[in-house]
Amino acid sequence: MNYTREQYETLYYLNKLLPRLKTLKNFERDLILAAKKIKEDLVPDLKKTDIFGDCPEKQKILSEIGQVLAKYGKGYQKIPPTVSQKNVSYLVRTFRLNSGESSIVYFLSAMQNNTLLKGCLQKFDADLESEEDTLTTIAGYPRGMGNSILNAEAPLMQLGILFRTRYRMNFQLSDWAHGFIHTLHRNDAARHKALVGAALSSKDGLTAKDFAYVEAASLAMRLMKQAKHGKGFNILLYGTPGTGKSSFAHVLAQSAKLHLYPVGVCNNGEDERNYRLQRLYRRQFLLKKVKNCCLLFDEGEDVFSSSQTRASKIEINNLLENNEVPVIWTTNKIHRMDPAYIRRFTLAVCFDKPPVEVRQKIWNKYLSVNKIACTKDDTFALAKKYEVPPSMIARAAQAARMAKGGLDTVKDHLSFMTQALNGGCKQPEEKETNLKFYPALIHADMDLQVLTAQLTSLGRLNFSLCLYGASGTGKSAYARYLADKLGLDLLHRRASDLISCYVGETEQNIAKAFAQAKDNKSMLIFDEADSFLRDRSTATRSWEVSSVNEMLTWMESHPYPFICTTNLMESLDPASLRRFSFKVKYDFLTKQQVKDAFAYFFGIKITLPETAGLDKLTPGDFMLVKNKAEILGKSTQCSAIKEMLETEQKLKHSAYGNGIGFRVN
């Protein structure tokens, strides 16, 4: 009897599944229904016999069905393979699948093509074809032994050829395997290219010189040249997003003359949880015999710190110790990585926002490439104002060129993008004022002008200041003034920039601020220092202690100026006070200073007796009243200004009169 390929294939798999089918409750009835679906005359006189009753010929008919399945099922193996079967054969050879594993892949591939086979099996059970016991039978394993071939560490699952469906936890071919099997490939070379993909090429044109500011860059490139000489070579690039980690990965590969292949993202609709880890295993398998290649695993937190990965810690450790193809990993969240993983890397390289000199070079490069007119002063001003990564500079310049704009378009683009990165909120900008810092309006317990002159003449930079006292007295303003006199950039951090709700992240932010100030040779100023230098004896949370410990450690060894400001001096940890070179108390303006402030802010001359009652004022109060008076058109009316200043005094807490330690409600 002649059958079509589809019928032969159906007979073949029904025959292989007989041991599994015989365990089903309605096997006899369903087997006959399946046989009728193949062909009405599969068994002689099938139509004329009541096979659903208790006729004496029933067992004979069932026996004949079994014989037909066995006879014609064997004929299926002699039929020339289809395109899909050739692709399955390539997968089997490439990934070295054993006979049981290959049988499962062939079967699931047939199930997706052969509607007759699928329809027959659905006569028994809707999901029979993807159940573990069914696949175990196909593989030739005893019932109940499926875990040995279908567990997470076995090749079919580890390589992502199969995945468990969420419904009833059955098995299916993954999207990538299905796509590969059912695509026409010319030959094995085309199949290999389809599995591996194309090597990455660098599009930003950055070179090793552009990363000279990265401390470990040189060592990383020297190590990369020896990457193919053993197992377990992994380099970790970590830091904030957009700092050039992926670009440096290209530079690393190029320095060692290696082709860089990506471990890509999940295909649409592919929902297996370990999809990227499986891709890494596949590319390791495919490229380990290919010369001069390495892998890029961007956003390594998908494996190291993601709840989406089912891999065990032991599996990840083994992966890092035994990979045969070098891997460059990047992550934005190293603080969430287990130290056991970090210790297994060949090298970890920290990336931060580049210093102003490097940013200026990057600005020059991208503005020049995009033919946007600028001067050295322009690029220096841009570099100082925008502490953004190279990727944002490149896109801003490209956007300006596309929009046929100039530097104003570049600035607009950066403003819009930083707003988006800040959750839709615009970054606060410091108000520009024509008023310069006026040291004579500082009322402190030491002469800061003398201190400034002494520090400037000595050229010493390893000092620290704690400036404490009333709000608005000019503590932060003096820090900026001092940085300018010393010719240093100022790195300004507020409590909100440092304190995080995540465990360990506050300490990371503190360390990062000190490290950035050191790398950029900047003066570091922390406002609201009482928020993270609070007395440890009053701490109620572990992070309040650990953040103080982190600060104290850095304060001991930081080689550049470091300034803290606070309104709550009595809250600071005593150990921190011993580490400040100078502790300077700020107070309200004296009568003479109030008189000078009228002249400085309003151009109004008053006498000392006229300052009576104005004893709790600060330069900040004068700035506020100046703005208010200008709006009301009263900036030249002495009586109105004095009344406004008195109002500001009344709003202050009575504790202000005690000097320091006042609180703002």
Side-chain angles (χ1 to χ4, degrees):
M1 190 174 296
N2 294 322
Y3 291 100
T4 64
R5 164 182 287 280
E6 188 177 54
Q7 290 170 329
Y8 267 122
E9 190 172 57
T10 303
L11 289 166
Y12 171 75
Y13 281 115
L14 285 176
N15 183 56
K16 287 198 74 169
L17 285 171
L18 276 177
R20 165 78 171 114
L21 297 174
K22 287 179 179 179
T23 64
L24 302 177
K25 183 178 180 181
N26 297 316
F27 162 67
E28 294 178 351
R29 174 190 176 101
D30 293 346
L31 181 60
I32 294 172
L33 289 174
K36 287 181 68 177
K37 186 172 180 62
I38 298 174
K39 204 167 187 181
E40 290 292 337
D41 59 350
L42 179 64
V43 178
D45 302 323
L46 186 60
K47 286 184 178 180
K48 302 175 183 178
T49 307
D50 182 11
I51 58 176
F52 302 119
D54 294 325
C55 67
E57 298 183 25
K58 180 176 181 180
Q59 291 304 318
K60 178 182 177 182
I61 295 171
L62 290 172
S63 177
E64 290 178 356
I65 292 174
Q67 292 173 12
V68 170
L69 292 175
K71 176 182 178 181
Y72 290 102
K74 291 180 180 179
Y76 170 67
Q77 295 175 308
K78 300 176 183 179
I79 300 173
T82 62
V83 170
S84 296
Q85 289 171 329
K86 289 180 180 179
N87 292 338
V88 173
S89 177
Y90 182 82
L91 282 183
V92 169
R93 296 194 313 271
T94 300
F95 294 113
R96 299 178 185 176
L97 303 181
N98 62 35
S99 59
E101 293 162 345
S102 62
S103 295
I104 290 174
V105 180
Y106 275 113
F107 171 68
L108 290 177
S109 174
M111 285 299 305
Q112 293 180 332
N113 278 337
N114 192 330
T115 56
L116 183 58
L117 174 60
K118 192 174 185 72
C120 286
L121 289 182
Q122 285 177 345
K123 294 291 183 181
F124 295 90
D125 190 296
D127 292 309
L128 176 72
E129 72 276 6
S130 57
E131 289 181 350
E132 185 173 308
D133 282 344
T134 299
L135 300 185
T136 302
T137 303
I138 287 291
Y141 284 52
R143 191 179 179 193
M145 295 293 290
N147 186 56
S148 61
I149 197 170
L150 296 169
N151 66 68
E153 287 75 32
L156 289 178
M157 298 297 291
Q158 189 179 70
L159 294 169
I161 297 172
L162 303 188
F163 76 98
R164 282 185 181 270
T165 62
R166 294 179 181 177
Y167 175 65
R168 296 184 64 174
M169 296 300 286
N170 293 336
F171 295 87
Q172 289 183 7
L173 286 174
S174 61
D175 286 352
W176 78 265
H178 175 268
F180 175 82
I181 290 170
H182 299 297
T183 298
L184 178 63
H185 306 286
R186 290 184 179 182
N187 48 38
D188 282 357
R191 292 184 179 94
H192 177 81
K193 186 175 181 180
L195 289 175
V196 174
L200 294 170
S201 58
S202 178
K203 297 180 180 179
D204 53 23
L206 295 178
T207 65
K209 292 182 180 179
D210 294 307
F211 294 96
Y213 69 94
V214 178
E215 192 173 2
S218 177
L219 176 58
M221 286 185 280
R222 296 201 305 273
L223 288 171
M224 199 71 195
K225 293 176 182 178
Q226 305 299 318
K228 293 290 287 186
H229 293 200
K231 291 184 178 181
F233 186 94
N234 298 276
I235 286 185
L236 178 65
L237 312 179
Y238 66 94
T240 53
T243 46
K245 298 184 293 295
S246 297
S247 296
F248 184 67
H250 288 275
V251 172
L252 269 182
Q254 290 169 1
S255 70
K257 298 181 180 180
L258 299 177
H259 299 294
L260 186 64
Y261 290 87
V263 177
V265 297
C266 182
N267 292 331
N268 292 333
E270 192 170 343
D271 60 357
E272 61 266 39
R273 296 180 71 184
N274 284 5
Y275 64 90
R276 296 199 71 201
L277 189 58
Q278 292 163 353
R279 278 166 171 71
L280 179 60
Y281 280 121
R282 290 200 298 273
R283 278 161 176 73
Q284 285 282 338
F285 219 111
L286 293 163
L287 295 172
K288 63 184 178 181
K289 292 186 177 180
V290 178
K291 293 182 179 179
N292 303 325
C293 64
C294 60
L295 293 170
L296 171 62
F297 198 114
D298 252 334
E299 300 180 15
E301 54 268 21
D302 284 352
V303 169
F304 298 121
S305 59
S306 172
S307 60
Q308 295 299 307
T309 302
R310 290 175 176 168
S312 67
K313 184 176 179 179
I314 293 176
E315 181 182 358
I316 300 299
N317 288 344
N318 287 335
L319 171 66
L320 292 172
E321 291 172 351
N322 298 303
N323 57 300
E324 296 185 57
V325 180
V327 184
I328 302 171
W329 305 76
T330 74
T331 182
N332 303 328
K333 302 176 181 177
I334 192 172
H335 57 282
R336 299 186 190 178
M337 283 180 62
D338 192 309
Y341 297 153
I342 298 174
R343 286 195 298 269
R344 284 172 166 80
F345 280 92
T346 308
L347 182 67
V349 182
C350 179
F351 279 75
D352 210 333
K353 294 173 183 176
V356 64
E357 296 86 357
V358 175
R359 292 201 303 273
Q360 185 179 14
K361 291 179 182 178
I362 296 172
W363 274 110
N364 281 324
K365 176 178 181 176
Y366 285 115
L367 292 177
S368 175
V369 167
N370 290 280
K371 298 180 179 179
I372 297 173
C374 63
T375 65
K376 288 185 178 180
D377 289 340
D378 290 331
T379 55
F380 184 73
L382 288 167
K384 286 195 70 174
K385 183 175 182 180
Y386 298 103
E387 292 185 13
V388 296
S391 57
M392 286 188 67
I393 296 173
R395 292 189 182 95
Q398 290 166 3
R401 175 178 55 81
M402 292 170 65
K404 298 181 180 179
L407 288 179
D408 288 340
T409 307
V410 171
K411 295 174 184 178
D412 288 342
H413 182 274
L414 284 175
S415 175
F416 299 143
M417 293 305 296
T418 51
Q419 180 180 352
L421 291 171
N422 199 34
C425 300
K426 289 187 176 182
Q427 291 278 16
E429 294 187 8
E430 292 188 9
K431 293 182 180 179
E432 294 186 5
T433 175
N434 294 325
L435 292 171
K436 295 182 179 181
F437 177 71
Y438 190 22
L441 293 182
I442 292 179
H443 181 197
D445 61 356
M446 71 179 300
D447 192 329
L448 292 180
Q449 289 181 273
V450 172
L451 176 62
T452 301
Q454 185 70 7
L455 291 172
T456 304
S457 62
L458 288 176
R460 287 188 58 174
L461 297 177
N462 58 333
F463 65 87
S464 57
L465 298 173
C466 178
L467 309 180
Y468 64 96
S471 177
T473 48
K475 299 184 291 294
S476 297
Y478 173 70
R480 289 191 289 270
Y481 169 77
L482 179 59
D484 184 62
K485 289 294 183 181
L486 293 171
L488 298 174
D489 287 330
L490 188 68
L491 184 63
H492 197 164
R493 292 292 181 264
R494 299 174 178 83
S496 58
D497 299 323
L498 303 174
I499 296 176
S500 170
C501 60
Y502 295 108
V503 175
E505 202 161 273
T506 299
E507 294 89 323
Q508 290 282 344
N509 292 338
I510 291 171
K512 190 178 295 183
F514 274 102
Q516 186 176 350
K518 181 180 177 181
D519 291 343
N520 294 351
K521 300 178 181 178
S522 302
M523 178 184 287
L524 179 61
I525 176 171
F526 283 162
D527 272 342
E528 307 162 48
D530 46 275
S531 299
F532 39 82
L533 273 178
R534 190 176 298 275
D535 191 340
R536 287 169 291 181
S537 65
T538 63
T540 58
R541 304 175 183 86
S542 60
W543 66 265
E544 292 176 320
V545 174
S546 57
S547 64
V548 173
N549 292 339
E550 187 72 25
M551 283 285 294
L552 296 179
T553 300
W554 279 98
M555 290 170 68
E556 286 279 9
S557 59
H558 190 60
Y560 292 98
F562 167 59
I563 298 178
C564 277
T565 71
T566 180
N567 301 335
L568 300 172
M569 180 65 164
E570 79 281 5
S571 298
L572 297 190
D573 191 274
S576 69
L577 296 178
R578 292 194 298 271
R579 286 169 169 80
F580 286 106
S581 306
F582 301 95
K583 292 169 278 291
V584 183
K585 174 185 174 183
Y586 279 66
D587 213 332
F588 300 111
L589 297 174
T590 64
K591 290 184 177 182
Q592 180 60 49
Q593 287 176 320
V594 170
K595 178 177 178 291
D596 293 341
F598 266 91
Y600 181 70
F601 286 98
F602 303 104
I604 297 175
K605 294 183 178 181
I606 62 172
T607 62
L608 285 177
E610 290 178 291
T611 66
L614 300 177
D615 55 357
K616 293 186 179 68
L617 293 177
T618 68
D621 294 327
F622 275 89
M623 283 291 295
L624 186 149
V625 169
K626 176 179 173 61
N627 184 53
K628 184 177 179 180
E630 287 175 349
I631 293 173
L632 298 175
K634 298 181 179 181
S635 58
T636 59
Q637 300 177 20
C638 183
S639 58
I641 292 170
K642 186 175 180 180
E643 185 178 345
M644 292 179 201
L645 290 170
E646 290 172 344
T647 301
E648 292 302 317
Q649 283 197 152
K650 290 177 183 177
L651 295 174
K652 295 183 179 182
H653 195 278
S654 60
Y656 277 23
N658 296 328
I660 66 169
F662 58 90
R663 298 179 184 274
V664 180
N665 294 327

